[in-house]
Amino acid sequence: MGGRQVAIVTGAGQGIGKGIARTLAERGYDLVITSRTERDLDGTRQSVEEAGGAATIVVADLKDPGTASRLVESALTRFGRVDGLVNNAAVNIFAPFLDQTDSNLDEMIETNLTAPFFLCQAVANHWIEKGLPGAIVNISSAEDTIAYPEQVPYASSKGGLLSMTKVLALEWGPLGIRVNAVSPGSIDTEMTPEVYRRQASRLMPIGRLGKPEEIGSCVHFLLSDDAAFVTGTSLYADGGYMLQ
């Protein structure tokens, strides 16, 4: 199938998601981008268009049961195809474990793990029904492997996301569907705590925070045919932090 590829990118209104969207647009993708805030998505759409791509905005809460099918339908209606899914949207609430609340836990699990679960189902159902290949990239975190303080629900959700990535890769590999993850370390976005910025040069062998577009490059590789023999793994983009 020729033409530009099409990907769904969640949490695309800012930060890593916006960087992923622009990078994919630069490299031949049209996009369905989603977030809860239309104003942020307008900025991402402009960035995508400046990079040579087209973008359809879907303002939605990923916790709503109908959002997954709505995103797939939006891709098919606008572009006639969907080739990739990037589950990027996430929530992190910092607090000591004994101060974490039921609502904190629910928010992070529903956004970081449950929403990707149903989005993976929605795109895979389409691909399997049509006999098409596909690629999914779940944006996990270095915290799926190493521990940071005050982030138990977040780390738990990301550990679950990595496990889901592996099991889906095993189940869907024979069907031509690849499922991988990117596990970023500290990335320079508006959500990055100041303490991480101050410590970056000391903690990262590379000596700086990552850039959203660098995560976008990792995502593009895993979506592309260059990664045709890669599935069920995570690419750790952490500036070498995990080496310490």
Side-chain angles (χ1 to χ4, degrees):
M1 191 179 286
R4 292 178 68 88
Q5 300 280 290
V6 175
I8 297 167
V9 180
T10 69
Q14 55 184 324
I16 291 174
K18 185 174 183 178
I20 291 170
R22 181 177 179 89
T23 301
L24 292 180
E26 290 172 344
R27 301 183 188 188
Y29 277 79
D30 293 327
L31 301 162
V32 173
I33 53 176
T34 185
S35 172
R36 288 179 289 191
T37 307
E38 185 169 8
R39 183 178 62 184
D40 289 342
L41 289 172
D42 284 336
T44 301
R45 178 169 56 186
Q46 180 179 347
S47 180
V48 165
E49 291 172 348
E50 289 171 352
T56 289
I57 285 176
V58 178
V59 179
D61 189 335
L62 294 178
K63 298 193 298 297
D64 291 343
T67 296
S69 59
R70 182 179 164 202
L71 290 171
V72 174
E73 289 166 6
S74 294
L76 297 176
T77 299
R78 171 75 187 275
F79 302 113
R81 61 192 288 175
V82 57
D83 304 284
L85 166 66
V86 184
N87 282 309
N88 167 74
V91 174
N92 192 0
I93 302 171
F94 291 80
F97 177 60
L98 295 179
D99 294 336
Q100 293 282 6
T101 65
D102 291 353
S103 61
N104 287 358
L105 178 63
D106 289 346
E107 176 78 7
M108 284 181 267
I109 294 298
E110 289 176 13
T111 304
N112 303 356
L113 184 58
T114 305
F117 180 100
F118 288 114
L119 278 160
C120 287
Q121 277 192 336
V123 295
N125 277 330
H126 168 70
W127 291 329
I128 293 167
E129 179 184 338
K130 300 297 184 181
L132 297 170
I136 295 170
V137 178
N138 295 319
I139 305 303
S140 185
S141 167
E143 291 184 57
D144 60 27
T145 299
I146 60 174
Y148 286 81
E150 300 191 353
Q151 298 184 67
V152 170
Y154 179 79
S156 299
S157 70
K158 293 300 186 178
L161 185 62
L162 181 58
S163 293
M164 185 174 75
T165 298
K166 294 177 180 180
V167 176
L168 293 183
L170 186 65
E171 288 192 15
W172 292 343
L175 303 174
I177 300 171
R178 297 184 299 104
V179 188
N180 290 290
V182 175
S183 297
S186 294
I187 307 300
D188 190 3
T189 73
E190 55 272 24
M191 298 170 63
T192 304
E194 185 59 35
V195 63
Y196 288 0
R197 296 179 187 279
R198 293 196 303 267
Q199 295 177 350
S201 61
R202 178 173 62 84
L203 295 177
M204 314 287 183
I206 285 181
R208 61 172 175 83
L209 297 174
K211 302 174 184 177
E213 292 78 12
E214 291 172 320
I215 304 305
S217 295
C218 296
V219 169
H220 176 259
F221 166 68
L222 291 173
L223 289 178
S224 75
D225 289 341
D226 288 340
F229 199 56
V230 180
T231 195
T233 192
S234 188
L235 198 169
Y236 286 86
D238 67 342
Y241 179 81
M242 291 176 64
L243 299 173
Q244 301 183 72

